[in-house]
Amino acid sequence: FMSDSSPIAWQVFDAGFTADALNIRYDRVGADPQLWLVYEDGGTIYRRSSEDHGESWSVPTTIATGANPTHDPIESGLRYVYWRDGTALKGQIFDTEWNTVVSAFTATGVTLDSDSTVEAKVHGGGAGQLVIVVTYKYGGNVKYAYSRNGQAFS
């Protein structure tokens, strides 16, 4: 991780919990920058945070059931979380404090292979427009789709 002026030395910590798949982001959106981890363990999607660069973690909070979670916070404070449920792309949108803005939904325009991983990136567009890009696997091929609202992809 990089501070504004100098690099922070990488350190290895045992997080003290297990995960089948995980996605970690350094979130500078809130008042206190934190590491946010969204992960799957045994078919359940959880989130945790760390305020000390991963040395310790918060108690897990359940988001949903599914596999291969991904998330991306944006400067406005919204947090887009996605995961695979069979061949469907599921998602949920949260605010800065992880309050639900949009309840769990099935994204349209995307079908996944049953073993696909998913990666989501949120990009700021011109005039305040957002573009959410998901990368996934379907028919054995790598695909990507775009959305303006995070729910309907093309």
Side-chain angles (χ1 to χ4, degrees), residues 9-79:
W10 284 101
Q11 296 182 22
V12 177
F13 300 104
D14 181 348
F17 55 92
T18 61
D20 299 322
L22 56 91
N23 183 268
I24 192 167
R25 295 282 189 256
Y26 186 62
D27 183 0
R28 297 176 187 193
V29 171
D32 298 313
Q34 300 178 46
L35 282 176
W36 283 100
L37 178 68
V38 174
Y39 68 101
E40 172 210 349
D41 188 22
T44 301
I45 308 295
Y46 299 97
R47 70 171 165 81
R48 290 180 184 237
S49 64
S50 174
E51 296 178 356
D52 56 14
H53 305 287
E55 190 170 343
S56 62
W57 292 91
S58 65
V59 175
T61 300
T62 301
I63 294 176
T65 58
N68 302 106
T70 185
H71 77 295
D72 206 14
I74 62 172
E75 290 178 15
S76 72
L78 292 179
R79 302 169 190 279

Side-chain angles (χ1 to χ4, degrees), residues 67-126:
N68 302 106
T70 185
H71 77 295
D72 206 14
I74 62 172
E75 290 178 15
S76 72
L78 292 179
R79 302 169 190 279
Y80 291 78
V81 179
Y82 296 97
W83 62 92
R84 180 178 48 76
D85 185 4
T87 60
L89 177 65
K90 300 282 189 165
Q92 193 165 349
I93 304 172
F94 300 92
D95 68 12
T96 305
E97 302 301 319
W98 287 91
N99 297 306
T100 299
V101 174
V102 177
S103 296
F105 59 87
T106 300
T108 60
V110 176
T111 303
L112 313 171
D113 283 350
S114 61
D115 64 345
S116 180
T117 58
V118 177
E119 178 64 27
K121 291 300 289 178
V122 179
H123 303 278

